[in-house]
Amino acid sequence: MPVVGRNYNFTQYSLALQSEVFDAIKMGVAKGVEIFICSVMGDPNPSANPQQYSSKRCFFRHSELMIVPKSPASMQVQMSEGAGWMNDGDAHAGSWYHVFAATGGKTVTLAASHPTLDRYDVIYAVPKFVGANNITRQVVDAQGNVSNVTDYQLKYDDFDLLVAQGTAGAGFPQVSGVNINRATAYQYLPAGQIPISVVKVRAGATTVINTDLTDLRELFIWRTYPISYNEVPADVQQQLGILWPNSFGMPYVLLDAAQAGNIPFGTFYIDKSGGSPGILKFRKLDGAVVTPTVT
């Protein structure tokens, strides 16, 4: 069911509260972002309750805003430059922030290591509004009294980079007995905290190296199907003739070999027009189709 919008029944003398105006703006932005994400990403979490037809809390481009070791090596890590979207709530709640950072603009210093036990820390981001450029306005009350009020003329999006420090010897962070990953990390942290990376703080270590890091960013992936193509109904598959991948790196699946011309670029695909398991083929940039030989 679609989300029901708010209905205000104002009379001609009603005054809208400031909180109502801000809520309306926030809801409009949130809904616009959700519609966009749903259109291009599909549904990354169809089992969620309530169902989330958009990103859980965030989405990042491929290599941007990733945690990497700071040079020279120390107990500090930093973010690579880039941009992303973050939500300070969960599901359909919260405000969306379009955030960005330059290389080294966001750094974290990890606590000293334990002498004999490994520790796993989770680095997360918390989006926030930061005000700038104050402006003073005159306000007239109902009795005609004039007073000056200082408002923010401009606000921009920003975020803090923080650490959820683990317990030495406790092992890799888990959700329901399984190591956290990009798909489950949001369950490990409270709402409004954006999972970025797990850092293994090795026993006795005085530096963090690249192999100590496990990326947790929820990556932005263009999808044309909201769920796995294996779940598309058989009647729908038969009419389509071509099943597009729902993430980068997955092959196209053709139920009708004549549909190869609909693939928009040179790529491998699986021709299942003759039945399963299908034949691996390659569509060249010029549209020619060849069957590769694997030796």
Side-chain angles (χ1 to χ4, degrees), residues 183-279:
T184 62
Y186 77 100
Q187 300 177 60
Y188 182 80
L189 296 171
Q193 296 181 5
I194 313 300
I196 304 294
S197 183
V198 176
V199 183
K200 179 181 180 180
V201 181
R202 291 166 285 112
T206 57
T207 61
V208 175
I209 57 178
N210 207 44
T211 53
D212 295 330
L213 303 172
T214 301
D215 189 33
L216 294 179
R217 296 167 308 132
E218 189 172 355
L219 298 180
F220 181 90
I221 299 175
W222 293 85
R223 298 185 178 102
T224 55
Y225 267 83
I227 50 179
S228 171
Y229 59 69
N230 293 322
E231 300 180 38
V232 176
D235 289 344
V236 176
Q237 292 187 19
Q238 184 176 357
Q239 292 188 56
L240 286 173
I242 178 174
L243 301 181
W244 292 54
N246 59 3
S247 66
F248 285 127
M250 291 182 63
Y252 288 79
V253 175
L254 269 63
L255 304 177
D256 181 350
Q259 295 288 339
N262 291 339
I263 299 176
F265 44 76
T267 186
F268 286 99
Y269 67 92
I270 298 174
D271 180 358
K272 297 182 70 172
S273 59
S276 294
I279 301 173

XYZ file of all heavy atoms in Angstrom, residues 183-279:
748
model
N 24.805 -5.757 3.583
C 23.358 -5.969 3.613
C 22.789 -5.967 5.021
O 21.607 -5.690 5.217
C 23.008 -7.278 2.914
N 23.610 -6.279 6.042
C 23.074 -6.443 7.396
C 23.605 -5.436 8.406
O 23.105 -5.374 9.527
C 23.389 -7.849 7.925
O 24.822 -8.021 7.992
C 22.802 -8.922 7.006
N 24.605 -4.641 8.025
C 25.258 -3.764 9.004
C 24.298 -2.769 9.628
O 24.479 -2.367 10.780
C 26.427 -3.031 8.351
N 23.259 -2.363 8.872
C 22.320 -1.381 9.419
C 21.577 -1.934 10.633
O 21.064 -1.178 11.462
C 21.330 -0.934 8.339
C 20.241 -1.931 8.044
C 18.973 -1.788 8.587
C 20.477 -3.038 7.232
C 17.971 -2.713 8.337
C 19.484 -3.953 6.968
C 18.248 -3.796 7.518
O 17.262 -4.716 7.270
N 21.494 -3.277 10.746
C 20.835 -3.876 11.901
C 21.727 -3.851 13.139
O 21.242 -4.010 14.256
C 20.459 -5.326 11.590
C 19.510 -5.484 10.422
C 19.235 -6.943 10.106
O 18.732 -7.685 10.950
N 19.552 -7.371 8.902
N 23.013 -3.665 12.925
C 23.971 -3.686 14.032
C 23.993 -2.360 14.767
O 24.262 -2.314 15.973
C 25.362 -4.020 13.479
C 26.449 -4.130 14.517
C 26.601 -5.287 15.272
C 27.325 -3.058 14.750
C 27.594 -5.396 16.228
C 28.332 -3.157 15.703
C 28.464 -4.321 16.434
O 29.451 -4.426 17.376
N 23.712 -1.268 14.050
C 23.799 0.072 14.625
C 22.413 0.669 14.828
O 21.480 0.338 14.092
C 24.616 0.982 13.710
C 26.094 0.617 13.515
C 26.699 1.472 12.410
C 26.873 0.780 14.809
N 22.247 1.572 15.784
C 20.965 2.245 15.984
C 20.600 3.106 14.776
O 21.452 3.451 13.951
C 21.218 3.121 17.221
C 22.401 2.516 17.894
C 23.242 1.938 16.806
N 19.324 3.453 14.675
C 18.847 4.300 13.581
C 19.622 5.610 13.556
O 19.961 6.177 14.590
C 17.355 4.569 13.740
N 19.911 6.077 12.340
C 20.615 7.332 12.186
C 22.113 7.192 12.127
O 22.817 8.163 11.828
N 22.640 5.989 12.403
C 24.073 5.750 12.311
C 24.349 4.970 11.026
O 23.815 3.882 10.818
C 24.577 4.984 13.532
C 24.413 5.766 14.829
C 24.923 5.015 16.044
O 25.486 3.944 15.934
N 24.725 5.592 17.228
N 25.189 5.522 10.160
C 25.425 4.968 8.837
C 26.664 4.076 8.859
O 27.781 4.560 9.084
C 25.627 6.097 7.803
C 24.549 7.169 7.941
C 25.699 5.526 6.401
C 23.151 6.669 7.751
N 26.524 2.759 8.623
C 27.692 1.875 8.650
C 28.661 2.218 7.522
O 28.264 2.359 6.368
C 27.090 0.474 8.446
C 25.607 0.626 8.634
C 25.280 2.032 8.294
N 29.943 2.331 7.857
C 30.961 2.663 6.867
C 32.017 1.560 6.749
O 32.347 1.126 5.658
C 31.663 3.994 7.196
C 30.635 5.135 7.319
C 32.694 4.325 6.123
C 29.938 5.480 6.028
N 32.546 1.092 7.887
C 33.647 0.130 7.812
C 33.841 -0.577 9.153
O 33.496 -0.032 10.206
C 34.940 0.842 7.427
O 36.010 -0.052 7.280
N 34.385 -1.799 9.077
C 34.881 -2.495 10.267
C 36.399 -2.414 10.239
O 37.022 -2.666 9.200
C 34.450 -3.974 10.297
C 35.075 -4.680 11.504
C 32.936 -4.098 10.368
N 36.989 -2.069 11.379
C 38.447 -2.006 11.483
C 38.915 -3.062 12.480
O 38.480 -3.078 13.631
C 38.926 -0.621 11.953
C 40.450 -0.582 11.975
C 38.376 0.472 11.058
N 39.777 -3.943 12.017
C 40.405 -4.911 12.916
C 41.612 -4.240 13.553
O 42.591 -3.906 12.880
C 40.842 -6.158 12.148
C 41.519 -7.207 13.023
C 41.945 -8.422 12.208
C 42.614 -9.469 13.083
N 43.040 -10.659 12.297
N 41.539 -4.036 14.863
C 42.670 -3.470 15.598
C 43.465 -4.648 16.147
O 43.082 -5.269 17.149
C 42.200 -2.538 16.728
C 43.388 -1.932 17.459
C 41.301 -1.435 16.165
N 44.520 -4.994 15.456
C 45.302 -6.171 15.788
C 45.983 -6.032 17.157
O 46.359 -4.934 17.569
C 46.359 -6.419 14.714
C 45.784 -6.861 13.372
C 46.811 -6.774 12.252
N 47.035 -5.384 11.837
C 48.159 -4.716 12.034
N 49.176 -5.301 12.647
N 48.287 -3.472 11.624
N 46.112 -7.166 17.832
C 46.761 -7.165 19.142
C 48.153 -6.559 19.043
O 48.967 -6.960 18.207
C 46.853 -8.589 19.679
N 48.416 -5.558 19.890
C 49.723 -4.928 19.937
C 50.044 -4.017 18.771
O 51.148 -3.484 18.693
N 49.102 -3.814 17.854
C 49.371 -3.009 16.656
C 49.455 -1.527 17.002
O 48.783 -1.032 17.914
C 48.289 -3.232 15.615
N 50.293 -0.835 16.252
C 50.391 0.618 16.377
C 50.003 1.313 15.076
O 50.072 2.538 14.978
C 51.819 1.033 16.765
O 52.737 0.523 15.785
C 52.190 0.505 18.141
N 49.601 0.508 14.086
C 49.159 1.050 12.807
C 47.952 0.273 12.312
O 47.707 -0.867 12.723
C 50.274 0.971 11.737
O 50.619 -0.413 11.537
C 51.498 1.759 12.153
N 47.203 0.900 11.412
C 46.104 0.245 10.696
C 46.522 0.124 9.241
O 46.945 1.111 8.623
C 44.799 1.059 10.802
C 43.703 0.424 9.952
C 44.348 1.158 12.250
N 46.409 -1.091 8.685
C 46.755 -1.308 7.283
C 45.500 -1.696 6.509
O 44.444 -1.990 7.106
C 47.846 -2.391 7.131
C 47.392 -3.712 7.767
C 49.156 -1.913 7.754
C 48.404 -4.836 7.604
N 45.619 -1.711 5.202
C 44.439 -1.889 4.352
C 43.713 -3.206 4.603
O 42.490 -3.276 4.542
C 44.840 -1.789 2.876
C 43.705 -1.311 2.006
O 42.994 -0.373 2.365
N 43.507 -1.947 0.869
N 44.457 -4.271 4.882
C 43.831 -5.580 5.107
C 43.076 -5.651 6.429
O 42.376 -6.624 6.692
C 44.889 -6.695 5.054
O 45.954 -6.375 5.962
C 45.448 -6.845 3.648
N 43.203 -4.631 7.276
C 42.447 -4.580 8.530
C 41.024 -4.074 8.311
O 40.202 -4.127 9.230
C 43.134 -3.650 9.536
C 44.495 -4.146 9.978
O 44.696 -5.379 10.004
O 45.363 -3.298 10.283
N 40.724 -3.574 7.112
C 39.458 -2.877 6.864
C 38.479 -3.735 6.091
O 38.844 -4.420 5.132
C 39.733 -1.583 6.091
C 40.702 -0.605 6.766
C 41.056 0.532 5.828
C 40.119 -0.073 8.063
N 37.218 -3.697 6.503
C 36.121 -4.368 5.793
C 35.059 -3.327 5.463
O 34.454 -2.733 6.369
C 35.494 -5.485 6.646
O 36.500 -6.447 6.976
C 34.368 -6.180 5.884
N 34.816 -3.087 4.197
C 33.891 -2.043 3.749
C 32.451 -2.428 4.050
O 32.018 -3.547 3.767
C 34.091 -1.813 2.256
C 33.323 -0.610 1.749
O 33.175 0.354 2.521
O 32.874 -0.648 0.592
N 31.694 -1.493 4.616
C 30.281 -1.731 4.940
C 29.338 -0.785 4.199
O 28.126 -0.838 4.415
C 30.038 -1.561 6.446
C 30.705 -2.553 7.393
C 30.351 -2.201 8.839
C 30.286 -3.981 7.090
N 29.863 0.070 3.328
C 29.004 1.050 2.662
C 27.956 0.347 1.800
O 28.252 -0.626 1.108
C 29.842 1.970 1.773
C 30.842 2.852 2.506
C 31.817 3.467 1.532
N 32.406 2.438 0.691
C 32.507 2.508 -0.642
N 32.090 3.585 -1.285
N 33.052 1.521 -1.330
N 26.749 0.852 1.840
C 25.684 0.318 0.983
C 25.815 0.978 -0.382
O 25.516 2.158 -0.543
C 24.319 0.603 1.599
C 23.201 -0.111 0.860
C 21.869 0.007 1.583
O 21.837 0.558 2.693
O 20.871 -0.457 1.027
N 26.269 0.223 -1.362
C 26.629 0.797 -2.652
C 25.415 1.048 -3.529
O 24.451 0.275 -3.534
C 27.612 -0.125 -3.380
C 28.946 -0.341 -2.674
C 29.829 -1.278 -3.485
C 29.659 0.985 -2.437
N 25.501 2.134 -4.277
C 24.460 2.494 -5.234
C 24.647 1.665 -6.496
O 25.683 1.759 -7.156
C 24.561 3.989 -5.560
C 23.511 4.472 -6.518
C 22.306 4.936 -6.042
C 23.731 4.452 -7.879
C 21.333 5.401 -6.915
C 22.772 4.905 -8.766
C 21.571 5.378 -8.278
N 23.691 0.813 -6.820
C 23.776 -0.062 -7.987
C 22.511 0.116 -8.819
O 21.396 -0.035 -8.328
C 23.910 -1.537 -7.567
C 25.197 -1.734 -6.752
C 23.935 -2.444 -8.790
C 25.355 -3.133 -6.201
N 22.697 0.454 -10.083
C 21.551 0.605 -10.969
C 20.912 -0.761 -11.214
O 21.581 -1.720 -11.554
C 21.982 1.198 -12.308
C 22.449 2.599 -12.198
C 23.698 3.017 -11.875
C 21.670 3.781 -12.382
N 23.761 4.388 -11.851
C 22.534 4.885 -12.165
C 20.330 4.025 -12.715
C 22.091 6.201 -12.271
C 19.912 5.349 -12.818
C 20.775 6.408 -12.598
N 19.618 -0.835 -11.046
C 18.889 -2.083 -11.276
C 17.685 -1.794 -12.174
O 17.090 -0.733 -12.089
C 18.397 -2.690 -9.971
C 19.501 -3.079 -8.992
C 18.889 -3.786 -7.799
N 19.910 -4.220 -6.858
C 20.202 -3.612 -5.732
N 19.555 -2.518 -5.406
N 21.126 -4.069 -4.927
N 17.327 -2.764 -12.985
C 16.111 -2.617 -13.773
C 15.020 -3.555 -13.283
O 13.882 -3.454 -13.711
C 16.383 -2.898 -15.259
O 16.973 -4.192 -15.379
C 17.329 -1.861 -15.831
N 15.386 -4.465 -12.401
C 14.390 -5.305 -11.741
C 14.493 -5.091 -10.245
O 15.585 -4.968 -9.705
C 14.625 -6.794 -12.060
C 13.837 -7.254 -13.256
C 14.317 -7.044 -14.533
C 12.594 -7.851 -13.103
C 13.603 -7.432 -15.638
C 11.866 -8.247 -14.202
C 12.372 -8.041 -15.474
O 11.652 -8.427 -16.550
N 13.347 -5.047 -9.537
C 13.409 -4.769 -8.111
C 13.959 -5.924 -7.299
O 14.382 -5.751 -6.183
C 11.948 -4.486 -7.747
C 11.164 -5.244 -8.758
C 11.965 -5.166 -10.022
N 13.913 -7.124 -7.830
C 14.358 -8.307 -7.100
C 15.069 -9.235 -8.068
O 15.150 -8.966 -9.251
C 13.174 -9.051 -6.435
C 12.068 -9.294 -7.452
C 12.647 -8.287 -5.243
C 10.875 -10.031 -6.906
N 15.568 -10.360 -7.580
C 16.277 -11.319 -8.417
C 15.399 -11.774 -9.575
O 14.212 -12.039 -9.417
C 16.689 -12.543 -7.586
O 17.194 -13.564 -8.417
N 16.022 -11.887 -10.778
C 15.224 -12.269 -11.945
C 14.628 -13.669 -11.793
O 13.664 -14.026 -12.463
C 16.029 -12.155 -13.240
C 17.276 -12.987 -13.327
C 17.228 -14.371 -13.422
C 18.524 -12.379 -13.345
C 18.380 -15.121 -13.515
C 19.681 -13.127 -13.448
C 19.609 -14.502 -13.529
O 20.742 -15.248 -13.625
N 15.206 -14.491 -10.908
C 14.651 -15.831 -10.686
C 13.266 -15.776 -10.060
O 12.526 -16.756 -10.078
C 15.591 -16.654 -9.790
C 16.896 -16.972 -10.474
O 16.922 -17.251 -11.659
N 17.986 -16.924 -9.728
N 12.924 -14.626 -9.473
C 11.620 -14.482 -8.830
C 10.594 -13.817 -9.736
O 9.454 -13.606 -9.332
C 11.774 -13.683 -7.531
C 12.700 -14.343 -6.521
C 12.831 -13.539 -5.244
O 11.818 -12.964 -4.798
O 13.935 -13.479 -4.686
N 10.996 -13.458 -10.958
C 10.047 -12.881 -11.899
C 9.102 -13.988 -12.381
O 9.561 -15.064 -12.784
C 10.775 -12.257 -13.106
C 9.784 -11.740 -14.127
C 11.691 -11.130 -12.635
N 7.778 -13.777 -12.344
C 6.822 -14.821 -12.738
C 7.093 -15.352 -14.147
O 7.529 -14.609 -15.032
C 5.469 -14.102 -12.661
C 5.689 -12.988 -11.698
C 7.108 -12.549 -11.889
N 6.814 -16.634 -14.345
C 7.098 -17.299 -15.621
C 6.382 -16.617 -16.784
O 6.959 -16.469 -17.878
C 6.699 -18.773 -15.538
N 5.123 -16.199 -16.597
C 4.375 -15.547 -17.672
C 5.045 -14.230 -18.076
O 5.074 -13.862 -19.252
C 2.931 -15.268 -17.237
C 2.122 -16.545 -17.123
O 2.573 -17.584 -17.670
O 1.054 -16.514 -16.503
N 5.598 -13.519 -17.096
C 6.282 -12.265 -17.387
C 7.583 -12.545 -18.132
O 7.915 -11.884 -19.115
C 6.560 -11.489 -16.079
C 7.366 -10.226 -16.364
C 5.253 -11.133 -15.378
N 8.322 -13.555 -17.679
C 9.565 -13.921 -18.345
C 9.331 -14.262 -19.815
O 10.083 -13.866 -20.696
C 10.211 -15.120 -17.645
C 10.736 -14.834 -16.249
C 11.500 -16.009 -15.680
O 11.941 -16.889 -16.411
N 11.649 -16.034 -14.365
N 8.254 -15.004 -20.087
C 7.979 -15.457 -21.451
C 7.751 -14.281 -22.392
O 8.202 -14.285 -23.539
C 6.754 -16.380 -21.455
C 6.460 -16.989 -22.827
C 5.293 -17.965 -22.755
O 4.745 -18.226 -21.700
N 4.901 -18.501 -23.896
N 7.084 -13.242 -21.925
C 6.816 -12.091 -22.771
C 8.048 -11.204 -22.941
O 8.261 -10.621 -24.004
C 5.673 -11.255 -22.185
C 4.324 -11.940 -22.237
C 3.218 -10.988 -21.819
O 3.065 -9.909 -22.393
N 2.463 -11.370 -20.810
N 8.870 -11.134 -21.904
C 10.036 -10.254 -21.973
C 11.071 -10.767 -22.966
O 11.593 -10.005 -23.772
C 10.690 -10.130 -20.593
C 9.965 -9.261 -19.564
C 10.643 -9.389 -18.215
C 9.971 -7.805 -20.015
N 11.387 -12.037 -22.893
C 12.405 -12.595 -23.767
C 13.818 -12.286 -23.325
O 14.757 -12.985 -23.663
N 14.011 -11.215 -22.573
C 15.323 -10.841 -22.053
C 15.162 -10.403 -20.606
O 14.277 -9.615 -20.285
C 15.960 -9.713 -22.902
C 17.315 -9.297 -22.316
C 15.044 -8.514 -23.019
C 18.067 -8.304 -23.188
N 15.961 -10.984 -19.742
C 15.918 -10.643 -18.328
C 17.187 -9.867 -17.984
O 18.294 -10.388 -18.089
C 15.811 -11.901 -17.459
C 14.572 -12.768 -17.744
C 14.553 -13.975 -16.821
C 13.298 -11.963 -17.570
N 17.013 -8.622 -17.598
C 18.161 -7.767 -17.324
C 18.732 -8.080 -15.945
O 18.003 -8.451 -15.028
C 17.737 -6.304 -17.365
C 17.368 -5.838 -18.732
C 16.457 -6.410 -19.573
C 17.902 -4.730 -19.428
N 16.381 -5.714 -20.744
C 17.268 -4.676 -20.695
C 18.849 -3.775 -19.124
C 17.559 -3.701 -21.628
C 19.129 -2.795 -20.050
C 18.489 -2.767 -21.295
N 20.054 -7.943 -15.775
C 20.663 -8.196 -14.463
C 20.218 -7.164 -13.453
O 19.878 -6.039 -13.802
C 22.167 -8.092 -14.743
C 22.264 -7.219 -15.944
C 21.042 -7.514 -16.774
N 20.206 -7.553 -12.173
C 19.809 -6.585 -11.148
C 20.996 -6.036 -10.383
O 20.850 -5.420 -9.343
C 18.779 -7.197 -10.178
C 19.309 -8.428 -9.472
O 20.455 -8.803 -9.646
N 18.464 -9.073 -8.686
N 22.197 -6.263 -10.888
C 23.379 -5.612 -10.337
C 24.509 -5.708 -11.348
O 24.491 -6.560 -12.238
C 23.809 -6.253 -9.009
O 24.244 -7.578 -9.220
N 25.482 -4.811 -11.207
C 26.628 -4.861 -12.105
C 27.341 -6.199 -11.956
O 27.473 -6.732 -10.867
C 27.602 -3.727 -11.789
C 27.136 -2.386 -12.266
C 27.063 -1.316 -11.407
C 26.762 -2.217 -13.577
C 26.642 -0.078 -11.847
C 26.335 -0.974 -14.038
C 26.274 0.090 -13.161
N 27.846 -6.720 -13.059
C 28.598 -7.963 -13.019
C 27.760 -9.192 -13.283
O 28.289 -10.263 -13.572
N 26.440 -9.074 -13.184
C 25.577 -10.215 -13.475
C 25.275 -10.249 -14.968
O 25.062 -9.212 -15.593
C 24.264 -10.113 -12.688
C 24.427 -10.306 -11.197
S 22.845 -10.239 -10.321
C 22.000 -11.647 -11.032
N 25.252 -11.433 -15.580
C 24.995 -11.514 -17.021
C 23.530 -11.305 -17.362
O 22.641 -11.560 -16.545
C 25.429 -12.937 -17.361
C 25.189 -13.708 -16.104
C 25.494 -12.747 -14.984
N 23.283 -10.838 -18.574
C 21.926 -10.820 -19.096
C 21.494 -12.258 -19.339
O 22.313 -13.124 -19.660
C 21.863 -10.050 -20.419
C 22.022 -8.568 -20.275
C 23.274 -7.987 -20.097
C 20.920 -7.726 -20.319
C 23.427 -6.624 -19.965
C 21.061 -6.355 -20.191
C 22.316 -5.811 -20.020
O 22.450 -4.456 -19.886
N 20.215 -12.511 -19.206
C 19.675 -13.837 -19.498
C 18.656 -13.687 -20.608
O 17.676 -12.937 -20.472
C 19.016 -14.469 -18.250
C 18.353 -15.788 -18.622
C 20.041 -14.669 -17.143
N 18.896 -14.371 -21.739
C 18.000 -14.289 -22.888
C 17.188 -15.567 -22.997
O 17.730 -16.671 -23.072
C 18.791 -14.077 -24.192
C 19.032 -12.609 -24.602
C 19.878 -11.898 -23.575
C 19.661 -12.550 -25.976
N 15.881 -15.409 -22.989
C 14.995 -16.551 -23.216
C 14.689 -16.686 -24.701
O 14.169 -17.701 -25.145
C 13.691 -16.371 -22.424
C 13.882 -16.154 -20.916
C 12.538 -15.910 -20.249
C 14.586 -17.340 -20.290
N 14.993 -15.654 -25.447
C 14.818 -15.641 -26.897
C 16.092 -15.057 -27.490
O 16.403 -13.882 -27.290
C 13.605 -14.776 -27.267
C 13.350 -14.726 -28.769
O 14.219 -15.193 -29.533
O 12.305 -14.204 -29.175
N 16.851 -15.886 -28.223
C 18.152 -15.451 -28.735
C 18.049 -14.221 -29.628
O 18.990 -13.434 -29.736
C 18.817 -16.590 -29.507
N 16.901 -14.013 -30.250
C 16.734 -12.861 -31.133
C 16.759 -11.542 -30.372
O 16.896 -10.473 -30.967
C 15.415 -12.989 -31.903
N 16.631 -11.604 -29.035
C 16.620 -10.390 -28.226
C 18.023 -9.863 -27.932
O 18.175 -8.844 -27.258
C 15.892 -10.656 -26.897
C 14.406 -10.982 -27.051
C 13.597 -9.770 -27.444
O 14.028 -8.643 -27.240
N 12.419 -9.987 -28.002
N 19.065 -10.533 -28.441
C 20.436 -10.095 -28.155
C 20.674 -8.658 -28.606
O 21.471 -7.925 -28.015
C 21.435 -11.026 -28.826
N 19.983 -8.225 -29.651
C 20.137 -6.856 -30.137
C 19.648 -5.825 -29.149
O 19.960 -4.636 -29.286
N 18.879 -6.233 -28.152
C 18.366 -5.281 -27.158
C 19.364 -5.014 -26.032
O 19.136 -4.138 -25.201
C 17.069 -5.804 -26.548
C 15.930 -5.796 -27.552
O 15.983 -5.071 -28.539
N 14.923 -6.607 -27.325
N 20.438 -5.808 -25.995
C 21.467 -5.541 -24.996
C 22.217 -4.281 -25.422
O 22.705 -4.197 -26.547
C 22.437 -6.737 -24.872
C 21.663 -7.987 -24.423
C 23.543 -6.432 -23.884
C 22.514 -9.238 -24.362
N 22.322 -3.277 -24.561
C 22.787 -1.957 -24.998
C 24.287 -1.796 -25.196
O 24.722 -0.772 -25.679
C 22.298 -1.036 -23.880
C 22.273 -1.910 -22.673
C 21.871 -3.266 -23.163
N 25.089 -2.804 -24.838
C 26.532 -2.649 -25.001
C 27.184 -4.017 -25.083
O 26.543 -5.040 -24.855
C 27.145 -1.842 -23.842
C 26.629 -2.251 -22.493
C 27.057 -3.420 -21.882
C 25.695 -1.464 -21.838
C 26.571 -3.803 -20.644
C 25.207 -1.842 -20.597
C 25.644 -3.011 -19.998
N 28.467 -4.034 -25.412
C 29.197 -5.274 -25.504
C 29.321 -5.953 -24.155
O 29.829 -5.351 -23.209
N 28.840 -7.197 -24.044
C 28.879 -7.879 -22.759
C 28.617 -9.367 -22.946
O 28.095 -9.808 -23.972
C 27.847 -7.290 -21.791
O 28.016 -7.886 -20.507
C 26.429 -7.564 -22.252
N 28.949 -10.129 -21.937
C 28.582 -11.542 -21.916
C 27.114 -11.678 -21.541
O 26.573 -10.859 -20.792
C 29.438 -12.302 -20.900
C 30.854 -12.538 -21.337
C 31.882 -11.722 -20.895
C 31.158 -13.591 -22.190
C 33.186 -11.926 -21.303
C 32.467 -13.817 -22.600
C 33.477 -12.983 -22.159
N 26.484 -12.731 -22.036
C 25.117 -13.034 -21.626
C 24.893 -14.531 -21.749
O 25.684 -15.258 -22.368
C 24.088 -12.252 -22.442
C 24.016 -12.637 -23.899
C 23.111 -13.622 -24.336
C 24.816 -12.020 -24.851
C 23.025 -13.970 -25.676
C 24.735 -12.357 -26.189
C 23.845 -13.339 -26.591
O 23.768 -13.691 -27.913
N 23.818 -15.005 -21.145
C 23.473 -16.426 -21.184
C 22.249 -16.605 -22.067
O 21.186 -16.040 -21.784
C 23.206 -16.970 -19.769
C 24.464 -16.837 -18.907
C 22.764 -18.431 -19.834
C 24.250 -17.208 -17.452
N 22.407 -17.386 -23.128
C 21.313 -17.664 -24.058
C 20.604 -18.938 -23.596
O 21.142 -20.040 -23.685
C 21.873 -17.842 -25.472
C 20.782 -18.138 -26.496
O 19.601 -18.249 -26.103
O 21.120 -18.282 -27.684
N 19.393 -18.768 -23.076
C 18.630 -19.916 -22.574
C 17.465 -20.251 -23.501
O 16.525 -20.933 -23.095
C 18.118 -19.621 -21.155
C 19.239 -19.421 -20.136
C 18.695 -19.176 -18.728
C 18.071 -20.438 -18.155
N 17.721 -20.272 -16.719
N 17.550 -19.776 -24.756
C 16.452 -20.052 -25.691
C 16.341 -21.540 -25.998
O 15.277 -22.019 -26.381
C 16.654 -19.261 -26.991
O 17.893 -19.596 -27.604
N 17.431 -22.285 -25.825
C 17.395 -23.725 -26.050
C 17.177 -24.517 -24.785
O 17.284 -25.748 -24.792
N 16.877 -23.819 -23.691
C 16.657 -24.487 -22.408
C 17.824 -24.280 -21.462
O 18.853 -23.705 -21.820
N 17.662 -24.777 -20.256
C 18.707 -24.641 -19.233
C 19.766 -25.712 -19.427
O 19.477 -26.783 -19.968
C 18.084 -24.762 -17.844
O 17.212 -23.678 -17.598
N 21.046 -25.475 -19.029
C 21.517 -24.289 -18.295
C 21.815 -23.095 -19.189
O 22.136 -22.020 -18.675
C 22.796 -24.808 -17.643
C 23.313 -25.815 -18.596
C 22.108 -26.494 -19.170
N 21.769 -23.239 -20.509
C 22.024 -22.134 -21.406
C 23.448 -22.123 -21.931
O 24.305 -22.894 -21.487
N 23.713 -21.239 -22.895
C 25.022 -21.127 -23.535
C 25.566 -19.724 -23.281
O 24.864 -18.726 -23.496
C 24.913 -21.377 -25.050
C 24.342 -22.778 -25.323
C 26.274 -21.224 -25.724
C 24.047 -23.029 -26.780
